[in-house]
Protein backbone atom coordinates (compact mmCIF):
# COMPACT_ATOMS: atom_id res chain seq x y z
CA UNK A 1 0.00 0.00 0.00
CA UNK A 2 0.94 3.68 -0.32
CA UNK A 3 0.33 6.55 2.08
CA UNK A 4 1.11 10.20 2.73
CA UNK A 5 2.73 10.21 6.18
CA UNK A 6 3.47 12.86 8.79
CA UNK A 7 6.76 12.27 10.61
CA UNK A 8 7.01 15.54 12.50
CA UNK A 9 4.60 18.46 13.06
CA UNK A 10 4.95 21.42 10.70
CA UNK A 11 6.73 19.36 8.03
CA UNK A 12 5.35 18.19 4.67
CA UNK A 13 3.72 14.79 4.40
CA UNK A 14 5.90 12.16 2.76
CA UNK A 15 4.84 9.60 0.12
CA UNK A 16 5.72 6.10 1.36
CA UNK A 17 5.22 2.48 0.42
CA UNK A 18 4.15 0.37 3.42
CA UNK A 19 3.22 -3.26 4.05
CA UNK A 20 -0.47 -3.98 3.55
CA UNK A 21 -2.13 -3.85 7.00
CA UNK A 22 -4.00 -6.82 8.47
CA UNK A 23 -7.21 -6.18 10.43
CA UNK A 24 -7.32 -7.46 13.98
CA UNK A 25 -10.30 -8.93 15.83
CA UNK A 26 -13.39 -6.78 15.30
CA UNK A 27 -11.67 -4.75 12.58
CA UNK A 28 -11.97 -4.35 8.83
CA UNK A 29 -9.55 -3.36 6.11
CA UNK A 30 -10.81 -1.11 3.35
CA UNK A 31 -9.53 -0.10 -0.02
CA UNK A 32 -9.73 3.69 0.16
CA UNK A 33 -11.80 5.23 -2.63
CA UNK A 34 -11.78 8.84 -1.43
CA UNK A 35 -10.74 10.77 1.67
CA UNK A 36 -11.86 14.27 2.55
CA UNK A 37 -9.33 16.89 3.67
CA UNK A 38 -10.56 18.34 6.97
CA UNK A 39 -9.39 21.33 8.97
CA UNK A 40 -8.65 18.90 11.79
CA UNK A 41 -6.03 17.35 9.49
CA UNK A 42 -4.43 20.79 9.33
CA UNK A 43 -4.41 20.97 13.13
CA UNK A 44 -2.64 17.59 13.23
CA UNK A 45 -0.07 18.58 10.60
CA UNK A 46 0.48 22.06 12.06
CA UNK A 47 1.01 20.73 15.60
CA UNK A 48 -2.09 22.36 17.11
CA UNK A 49 -3.16 18.89 18.28
CA UNK A 50 -0.16 17.87 20.31
CA UNK A 51 -0.29 14.09 20.83
CA UNK A 52 -0.46 12.35 17.44
CA UNK A 53 0.88 8.88 16.82
CA UNK A 54 4.06 9.55 14.85
CA UNK A 55 4.57 8.78 12.12
CA UNK A 56 0.88 8.95 11.28
CA UNK A 57 -1.25 8.84 8.14
CA UNK A 58 -3.83 11.66 8.46
CA UNK A 59 -7.38 11.57 7.15
CA UNK A 60 -10.72 10.73 8.76
CA UNK A 61 -13.34 11.35 6.09
CA UNK A 62 -12.83 7.97 4.45
CA UNK A 63 -14.99 6.28 1.86
CA UNK A 64 -13.80 2.78 1.04
CA UNK A 65 -14.78 -0.77 0.23
CA UNK A 66 -14.21 -3.59 2.69
CA UNK A 67 -11.64 -6.00 1.31
CA UNK A 68 -10.76 -8.01 4.42
CA UNK A 69 -12.59 -8.87 7.64
CA UNK A 70 -10.95 -9.45 11.00
CA UNK A 71 -12.13 -12.27 13.24
CA UNK A 72 -15.58 -11.84 14.75
CA UNK A 73 -16.86 -9.30 12.22
CA UNK A 74 -20.37 -10.23 11.06
CA UNK A 75 -22.00 -6.82 10.60
CA UNK A 76 -20.17 -5.96 7.37
CA UNK A 77 -19.25 -7.85 4.21
CA UNK A 78 -16.33 -7.86 1.79
CA UNK A 79 -17.14 -5.51 -1.08
CA UNK A 80 -19.45 -3.30 0.99
CA UNK A 81 -18.95 0.49 0.78
CA UNK A 82 -18.40 2.11 4.17
CA UNK A 83 -17.50 5.43 5.70
CA UNK A 84 -14.88 5.78 8.43
CA UNK A 85 -15.06 8.87 10.69
CA UNK A 86 -12.85 10.68 13.22
CA UNK A 87 -13.98 8.66 16.24
CA UNK A 88 -12.39 5.28 15.63
CA UNK A 89 -12.80 3.42 18.93
CA UNK A 90 -14.11 3.91 22.45
CA UNK A 91 -13.44 1.90 25.59
CA UNK A 92 -17.12 1.11 26.26
CA UNK A 93 -16.81 1.15 30.04
CA UNK A 94 -15.83 4.65 31.23
CA UNK A 95 -18.53 6.89 32.79
CA UNK A 96 -19.08 8.65 29.46
CA UNK A 97 -19.42 5.50 27.37
CA UNK A 98 -21.97 3.95 29.73
CA UNK A 99 -24.06 7.14 29.85
CA UNK A 100 -24.50 7.59 26.07
CA UNK A 101 -21.70 10.16 25.77
CA UNK A 102 -19.15 8.06 23.94
CA UNK A 103 -17.89 11.20 22.16
CA UNK A 104 -16.30 12.11 25.52
CA UNK A 105 -14.73 8.67 26.12
CA UNK A 106 -11.73 8.72 28.45
CA UNK A 107 -9.77 6.29 26.25
CA UNK A 108 -10.69 6.99 22.62
CA UNK A 109 -8.87 6.27 19.37
CA UNK A 110 -9.06 8.89 16.62
CA UNK A 111 -8.70 8.08 12.93
CA UNK A 112 -5.82 9.93 11.30
CA UNK A 113 -4.47 11.13 14.66
CA UNK A 114 -3.88 8.27 17.10
CA UNK A 115 -4.51 5.63 14.41
CA UNK A 116 -3.49 5.75 10.76
CA UNK A 117 -6.16 7.25 8.54
CA UNK A 118 -7.23 7.63 4.96
CA UNK A 119 -4.48 9.56 3.16
CA UNK A 120 -3.60 6.13 1.82
CA UNK A 121 -4.67 3.37 -0.52
CA UNK A 122 -5.73 1.13 2.40
CA UNK A 123 -6.91 1.71 5.96
CA UNK A 124 -7.92 -0.38 8.96
CA UNK A 125 -10.90 0.51 11.16
CA UNK A 126 -13.10 -0.94 13.88
CA UNK A 127 -16.14 -2.50 12.23
CA UNK A 128 -18.31 -1.05 15.02
CA UNK A 129 -17.30 2.49 13.96
CA UNK A 130 -17.67 2.07 10.19
CA UNK A 131 -20.92 3.29 8.66
CA UNK A 132 -22.57 1.43 5.75
CA UNK A 133 -22.88 3.99 2.93
CA UNK A 134 -24.98 2.15 0.35
CA UNK A 135 -24.45 2.69 -3.36
CA UNK A 136 -26.14 6.07 -3.88
CA UNK A 137 -23.79 9.00 -4.53
CA UNK A 138 -20.19 9.20 -5.68
CA UNK A 139 -17.27 8.41 -3.38
CA UNK A 140 -15.96 11.97 -3.66
CA UNK A 141 -19.31 13.58 -2.88
CA UNK A 142 -19.86 11.41 0.19
CA UNK A 143 -16.42 11.83 1.81
CA UNK A 144 -17.06 15.29 3.37
CA UNK A 145 -20.16 13.96 5.12
CA UNK A 146 -17.94 11.83 7.39
CA UNK A 147 -16.69 14.81 9.42
CA UNK A 148 -17.79 18.15 8.00
CA UNK A 149 -21.30 16.75 7.85
CA UNK A 150 -21.26 14.83 11.13
CA UNK A 151 -19.67 17.55 13.25
CA UNK A 152 -21.93 20.10 11.60
CA UNK A 153 -24.92 17.92 12.45
CA UNK A 154 -23.90 17.56 16.10
CA UNK A 155 -23.25 21.30 16.28
CA UNK A 156 -26.64 22.03 14.78
CA UNK A 157 -28.31 19.84 17.41
CA UNK A 158 -26.85 22.15 20.06
CA UNK A 159 -28.86 25.08 18.66
CA UNK A 160 -32.16 23.47 19.66
CA UNK A 161 -35.11 24.98 17.81
CA UNK A 162 -33.27 28.17 16.79
CA UNK A 163 -34.84 29.63 13.65
CA UNK A 164 -32.22 32.26 12.76
CA UNK A 165 -28.80 30.59 12.73
CA UNK A 166 -25.45 32.22 11.96
CA UNK A 167 -22.63 30.16 10.44
CA UNK A 168 -19.08 31.51 10.92
CA UNK A 169 -16.52 30.14 8.47
CA UNK A 170 -18.43 29.08 5.38
CA UNK A 171 -16.36 26.09 4.38
CA UNK A 172 -16.91 22.33 4.20
CA UNK A 173 -19.12 21.96 7.30
CA UNK A 174 -21.12 25.17 6.87
CA UNK A 175 -21.94 24.52 3.22
CA UNK A 176 -23.45 21.16 4.23
CA UNK A 177 -25.31 22.39 7.30
CA UNK A 178 -26.68 25.40 5.43
CA UNK A 179 -28.50 22.93 3.19
CA UNK A 180 -29.89 21.10 6.22
CA UNK A 181 -31.13 24.39 7.71
CA UNK A 182 -32.83 25.41 4.47
CA UNK A 183 -34.47 21.96 4.22
CA UNK A 184 -35.72 22.45 7.80
CA UNK A 185 -37.11 25.86 6.77
CA UNK A 186 -34.80 27.74 9.08
CA UNK A 187 -32.88 30.90 8.15
CA UNK A 188 -29.15 30.90 7.38
CA UNK A 189 -26.88 33.89 8.04
CA UNK A 190 -23.39 33.32 6.65
CA UNK A 191 -20.27 35.04 8.02
CA UNK A 192 -17.03 34.96 6.00
CA UNK A 193 -13.68 36.70 5.97
CA UNK A 194 -14.21 40.42 5.50
CA UNK A 195 -14.46 41.26 1.81
CA UNK A 196 -14.79 37.63 0.67
CA UNK A 197 -17.67 38.32 -1.69
CA UNK A 198 -17.05 35.09 -3.63
CA UNK A 199 -17.80 32.93 -0.59
CA UNK A 200 -20.70 35.17 0.38
CA UNK A 201 -22.20 34.63 -3.07
CA UNK A 202 -21.61 30.88 -2.64
CA UNK A 203 -23.53 30.98 0.66
CA UNK A 204 -26.44 32.80 -0.95
CA UNK A 205 -26.51 30.24 -3.77
CA UNK A 206 -27.15 27.58 -1.11
CA UNK A 207 -30.05 29.51 0.37
CA UNK A 208 -28.48 31.87 2.91
CA UNK A 209 -30.85 34.73 3.70
CA UNK A 210 -27.91 37.04 4.41
CA UNK A 211 -24.13 36.88 3.99
CA UNK A 212 -21.48 39.30 5.22
CA UNK A 213 -18.13 39.68 6.95
CA UNK A 214 -17.35 38.13 10.31
CA UNK A 215 -17.35 41.52 12.03
CA UNK A 216 -20.63 42.65 10.47
CA UNK A 217 -23.93 42.61 12.30
CA UNK A 218 -26.80 40.78 10.61
CA UNK A 219 -29.99 42.68 9.85
CA UNK A 220 -31.73 41.16 12.87
CA UNK A 221 -30.69 39.37 16.09
CA UNK A 222 -29.94 35.67 15.75
CA UNK A 223 -31.20 32.79 17.86
CA UNK A 224 -27.89 30.89 17.62
CA UNK A 225 -24.52 30.94 15.91
CA UNK A 226 -22.18 28.06 15.04
CA UNK A 227 -18.47 28.85 14.74
CA UNK A 228 -16.65 26.49 12.37
CA UNK A 229 -13.58 28.72 11.84
CA UNK A 230 -10.75 28.18 14.38
CA UNK A 231 -10.56 31.87 15.31
CA UNK A 232 -11.26 32.61 18.98
CA UNK A 233 -11.98 36.27 18.20
CA UNK A 234 -15.21 35.12 16.56
CA UNK A 235 -16.70 34.12 19.93
CA UNK A 236 -17.28 37.68 21.23
CA UNK A 237 -18.23 38.76 17.70
CA UNK A 238 -20.89 36.05 17.53
CA UNK A 239 -22.23 36.90 20.99
CA UNK A 240 -22.99 40.41 19.77
CA UNK A 241 -25.30 39.03 17.08
CA UNK A 242 -27.53 37.08 19.49
CA UNK A 243 -30.90 37.83 20.96
CA UNK A 244 -31.47 37.31 24.70
CA UNK A 245 -31.07 33.63 25.56
CA UNK A 246 -29.16 32.90 22.34
CA UNK A 247 -26.34 30.38 22.09
CA UNK A 248 -22.90 30.30 20.46
CA UNK A 249 -21.73 26.80 19.50
CA UNK A 250 -17.97 26.33 19.03
CA UNK A 251 -17.67 23.43 16.60
CA UNK A 252 -13.91 23.06 16.14
CA UNK A 253 -11.51 20.71 17.87
CA UNK A 254 -9.02 23.57 18.14
CA UNK A 255 -9.46 27.33 18.36
CA UNK A 256 -7.07 30.22 18.91
CA UNK A 257 -7.27 32.07 22.20
CA UNK A 258 -10.59 33.74 22.92
CA UNK A 259 -10.00 37.42 23.72
CA UNK A 260 -11.49 39.13 26.75
CA UNK A 261 -14.95 40.56 26.23
CA UNK A 262 -17.48 42.54 28.21
CA UNK A 263 -19.87 40.61 30.43
CA UNK A 264 -22.64 42.63 28.79
CA UNK A 265 -22.17 40.47 25.68
CA UNK A 266 -22.89 37.31 27.66
CA UNK A 267 -25.57 38.66 30.01
CA UNK A 268 -29.29 38.04 29.49
CA UNK A 269 -28.73 34.28 29.53
CA UNK A 270 -26.67 34.00 26.38
CA UNK A 271 -24.54 30.84 26.31
CA UNK A 272 -21.29 29.48 24.86
CA UNK A 273 -20.95 25.71 24.37
CA UNK A 274 -18.43 23.49 22.61
CA UNK A 275 -18.81 20.32 20.56
CA UNK A 276 -16.44 17.38 20.93
CA UNK A 277 -16.12 14.56 18.41
CA UNK A 278 -19.28 12.60 17.54
CA UNK A 279 -21.22 9.51 18.50
CA UNK A 280 -22.23 6.57 16.34
CA UNK A 281 -25.82 7.73 16.86
CA UNK A 282 -24.91 11.06 15.24
CA UNK A 283 -23.55 9.19 12.25
CA UNK A 284 -26.52 6.88 11.85
CA UNK A 285 -29.00 9.75 12.18
CA UNK A 286 -27.28 12.14 9.79
CA UNK A 287 -26.21 9.65 7.14
CA UNK A 288 -29.75 8.25 6.93
CA UNK A 289 -31.19 11.76 6.60
CA UNK A 290 -28.68 13.18 4.08
CA UNK A 291 -30.15 11.39 1.03
CA UNK A 292 -33.64 12.62 1.91
CA UNK A 293 -32.38 16.19 2.12
CA UNK A 294 -30.55 15.82 -1.18
CA UNK A 295 -27.33 17.34 0.13
CA UNK A 296 -24.92 18.35 -2.62
CA UNK A 297 -21.29 18.69 -1.59
CA UNK A 298 -19.12 21.13 -3.50
CA UNK A 299 -15.72 19.45 -3.85
CA UNK A 300 -12.27 19.99 -5.31
CA UNK A 301 -10.40 16.75 -5.98
CA UNK A 302 -6.68 16.14 -5.63
CA UNK A 303 -4.53 13.09 -6.29
CA UNK A 304 -3.36 11.39 -3.09
CA UNK A 305 0.23 12.42 -3.83
CA UNK A 306 -0.93 16.07 -3.84
CA UNK A 307 -2.14 16.01 -0.21
CA UNK A 308 0.30 18.77 0.78
CA UNK A 309 -1.13 21.04 -1.91
CA UNK A 310 -4.67 20.28 -0.78
CA UNK A 311 -3.80 21.12 2.83
CA UNK A 312 -2.17 24.39 1.81
CA UNK A 313 -5.15 25.33 -0.35
CA UNK A 314 -7.44 24.63 2.61
CA UNK A 315 -5.24 26.73 4.89
CA UNK A 316 -5.53 29.71 2.55
CA UNK A 317 -9.17 29.26 1.55
CA UNK A 318 -8.49 28.68 -2.15
CA UNK A 319 -11.64 26.65 -2.85
CA UNK A 320 -15.32 26.56 -1.92
CA UNK A 321 -16.73 23.60 -0.05
CA UNK A 322 -14.41 20.66 0.60
CA UNK A 323 -11.21 19.11 -0.76
CA UNK A 324 -11.10 15.37 -1.38
CA UNK A 325 -8.11 13.11 -2.07
CA UNK A 326 -8.46 10.27 -4.57
CA UNK A 327 -5.86 7.45 -4.61
Amino acid sequence: MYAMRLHSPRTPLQWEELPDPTPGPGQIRVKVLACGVCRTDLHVVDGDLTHPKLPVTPGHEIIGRVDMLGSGVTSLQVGQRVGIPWLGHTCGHCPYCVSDHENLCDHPVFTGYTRDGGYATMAVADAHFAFPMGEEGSDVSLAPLLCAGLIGWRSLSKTGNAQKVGLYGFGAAAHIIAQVLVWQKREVYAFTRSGDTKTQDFARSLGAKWAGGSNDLPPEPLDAAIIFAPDGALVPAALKTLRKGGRVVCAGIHMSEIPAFSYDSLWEEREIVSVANLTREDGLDFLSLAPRIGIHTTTTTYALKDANTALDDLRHGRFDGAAVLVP
Side-chain angles (χ1 to χ4, degrees):
M1 64 167 284
Y2 295 91
M4 292 294 286
R5 304 271 281 168
L6 178 71
H7 286 260
S8 179
R10 296 174 292 279
T11 63
L13 304 182
Q14 298 180 24
W15 176 260
E16 296 181 9
E17 183 176 4
L18 302 169
D20 291 352
T22 300
Q27 294 183 332
I28 58 172
R29 187 178 74 189
V30 301
K31 179 181 178 181
V32 177
L33 304 173
C35 185
V37 179
C38 179
R39 187 162 292 275
T40 300
D41 301 335
L42 267 184
H43 294 317
V44 173
V45 171
D46 291 347
D48 299 321
L49 300 182
T50 55
H51 300 290
K53 176 191 83 71
L54 291 176
V56 67
T57 304
H60 57 274
E61 295 180 328
I62 305 170
I63 299 294
R65 286 199 184 274
V66 179
D67 79 339
M68 186 178 289
L69 302 175
S71 63
V73 176
T74 58
S75 58
L76 298 171
Q77 298 177 346
V78 171
Q80 188 170 0
R81 188 167 68 162
V82 297
I84 299 169
W86 169 250
L87 186 63
H89 176 83
T90 57
C91 70
H93 55 73
C94 72
Y96 300 104
C97 285
V98 299
S99 61
D100 296 324
H101 294 90
E102 66 181 1
N103 60 305
L104 302 177
C105 175
D106 283 333
H107 307 286
V109 174
F110 296 117
T111 310
Y113 179 47
T114 59
R115 170 188 287 168
D116 285 335
Y119 287 18
T121 56
M122 289 183 176
V124 167
D126 283 22
H128 204 39
F129 287 84
F131 299 114
M133 298 301 293
E135 296 301 324
E136 184 177 343
S138 71
D139 305 320
V140 168
S141 69
L142 292 174
L145 301 183
L146 270 298
C147 186
L150 292 181
I151 291 299
W153 177 252
R154 185 169 183 85
S155 300
L156 183 59
S157 73
K158 297 292 186 181
T159 68
N161 62 357
Q163 293 302 301
K164 297 177 173 62
V165 181
L167 303 178
Y168 283 80
F170 205 85
H175 100 286
I176 292 171
I177 294 307
Q179 296 174 67
V180 177
L181 285 163
V182 170
W183 182 77
Q184 293 175 335
K185 301 188 184 307
R186 299 202 252 178
E187 295 178 3
V188 177
Y189 296 76
F191 296 82
T192 72
R193 292 184 179 94
S194 180
D196 187 357
T197 57
K198 180 175 179 288
T199 302
Q200 291 165 20
D201 289 343
F202 177 53
R204 293 188 193 96
S205 76
L206 293 175
K209 181 176 180 179
W210 175 91
S214 58
N215 291 318
D216 294 338
L217 289 176
E220 50 194 321
L222 305 180
D223 302 315
I226 304 174
I227 300 176
F228 292 112
D231 182 358
L234 295 176
V235 173
L239 282 170
K240 291 178 181 178
T241 72
L242 298 185
R243 62 160 174 81
K244 300 173 186 178
R247 173 177 284 189
V248 171
V249 180
C250 300
I253 194 171
H254 171 80
M255 182 178 276
S256 62
E257 186 171 333
I258 300 172
F261 57 89
S262 170
Y263 177 67
D264 291 345
S265 297
L266 185 63
W267 190 57
E268 296 175 319
E269 300 194 353
R270 295 175 181 88
E271 298 177 301
I272 305 170
V273 300
S274 68
V275 168
N277 311 315
L278 66 135
T279 66
R280 283 168 291 175
E281 188 76 18
D282 294 328
L284 294 171
D285 289 348
F286 176 70
L287 293 172
S288 66
L289 186 63
R292 291 172 49 198
I293 297 173
I295 290 173
H296 170 76
T297 55
T298 298
T299 56
T300 300
T301 58
Y302 298 79
L304 177 58
K305 281 188 174 182
D306 294 330
N308 289 310
T309 301
L311 287 165
D312 194 59
D313 287 350
L314 172 60
R315 183 183 287 109
H316 292 98
R318 296 188 181 116
F319 53 79
D320 288 329
V324 179
L325 302 178
V326 179

